[in-house]
Amino acid sequence: MKNLKLPITIDPSRSAQRKLVCEGYFEVSGMNRLLAVCDAQGEQVQVNANFSVDEVGLVVISGSSSATVTLTCQRCTEEFDSVLEVDFTFSPVKDAEAAAELPSYYDAIELDENGEVNLRELVEDEFLLEIPLIPRHPIKDCQAPSDSVWGELPEELEKPNPFDILKKIK
Ligand SMILES: [Zn+2]
C-alpha cells in the first residue's frame, strides 16, 4: 500500500472534478497548534480525503483522520493517551456570505487567494476540536482520590462548546 505525503494545500474544485481520493499522511511536526496543547504519538497523521461535486454542484471535501496524543489529566496530573478520531464534511467557500448559504450538513472552509484550501490546517482544526477543554482520565483509571478538589467540575465546564475552543485558537 502506498503511503504518500499529502500536499498541504489543494485546489478543491479541480480535485472534485477529478473525483480525487487522497490517502496519505501529514507530518505531525507541521501541526504546531496541536503540539502546543498536547504531545503526539508517532510522527505522522494518517488522513483520508475525498473530493466530489454534489447533486446541486457544490464541491465537497469529506474524509477522516485519527491521531494518538498524550494529554495530562487535570484531576490527577498523570499523563494518558487518547485517540482523536475525526470525520469531516466541508464545502469550500469564497467568503462569509457564501458560507452562510451553505446547507447545514456542510462545514464551510474558506478558499485562500489561490482558490486552494489548507488541508493540513483543516485536519488540525478538527483534532483541536476533539481535545477536551479539561482532559481527564476515565474515572476508573484516574489516580486522584475521589474527594479531590478536582473530583467534580462545574456542569458548564463539562460540556465545552467546540466552537468556543476554535475561536480561542484562531
Ligand atoms: Zn487522572
Side-chain angles (χ1 to χ4, degrees), residues 72-78 80 135-138 141-144:
T72 303
C73 174
Q74 297 303 299
R75 198 192 274 123
C76 69
T77 72
E78 293 286 321
F80 68 105
R136 280 171 294 164
H137 280 117
D141 299 331
C142 194
Q143 304 301 314

Side-chain angles (χ1 to χ4, degrees), residues 2-169:
K2 282 184 289 183
N3 194 19
L4 298 173
K5 189 171 177 174
L6 294 171
I8 293 169
T9 62
I10 194 160
D11 180 329
S13 303
R14 201 177 297 164
S15 304
Q17 275 149 26
R18 291 167 46 210
K19 296 187 170 59
L20 186 70
V21 176
C22 286
E23 288 256 18
Y25 67 90
F26 287 122
E27 305 274 4
V28 177
S29 59
M31 296 187 168
N32 293 323
R33 291 173 304 143
L34 183 66
L35 293 175
V37 294
C38 64
D39 287 325
Q41 308 246 322
E43 289 168 5
Q44 299 173 355
V45 175
Q46 294 297 319
V47 178
N48 152 294
N50 305 305
F51 294 81
S52 59
V53 180
D54 75 3
E55 61 275 16
V56 297
L58 291 168
V59 171
V60 181
I61 308 167
S62 62
S64 60
S65 183
S66 68
T68 305
V69 297
T70 304
L71 300 171
T72 303
C73 174
Q74 297 303 299
R75 198 192 274 123
C76 69
T77 72
E78 293 286 321
E79 293 189 334
F80 68 105
D81 290 344
S82 180
V83 181
L84 306 177
E85 287 183 331
V86 297
D87 287 301
F88 51 85
T89 308
F90 282 91
S91 185
V93 294
K94 282 197 195 77
D95 49 32
E97 206 174 309
E101 285 170 12
L102 271 189
S104 58
Y105 43 84
Y106 293 140
D107 288 322
I109 177 101
E110 208 156 324
L111 293 162
D112 68 12
E113 63 277 12
N114 303 316
E116 298 195 327
V117 295
N118 190 316
L119 195 58
R120 189 175 69 188
E121 268 183 19
L122 180 158
V123 171
E124 188 178 17
D125 282 344
E126 293 295 300
F127 284 141
L128 287 165
L129 289 171
E130 278 294 299
I131 294 178
L133 193 58
I134 301 172
R136 280 171 294 164
H137 280 117
I139 195 98
K140 64 177 171 44
D141 299 331
C142 194
Q143 304 301 314
S146 56
D147 59 353
S148 149
V149 290
W150 294 101
E152 286 302 325
L153 292 161
E155 185 74 9
E156 66 268 24
L157 291 176
E158 300 256 347
K159 293 180 187 131
N161 179 341
F163 295 100
D164 288 344
I165 301 175
L166 194 58
K167 264 183 232 152
K168 273 180 220 155
I169 291 158

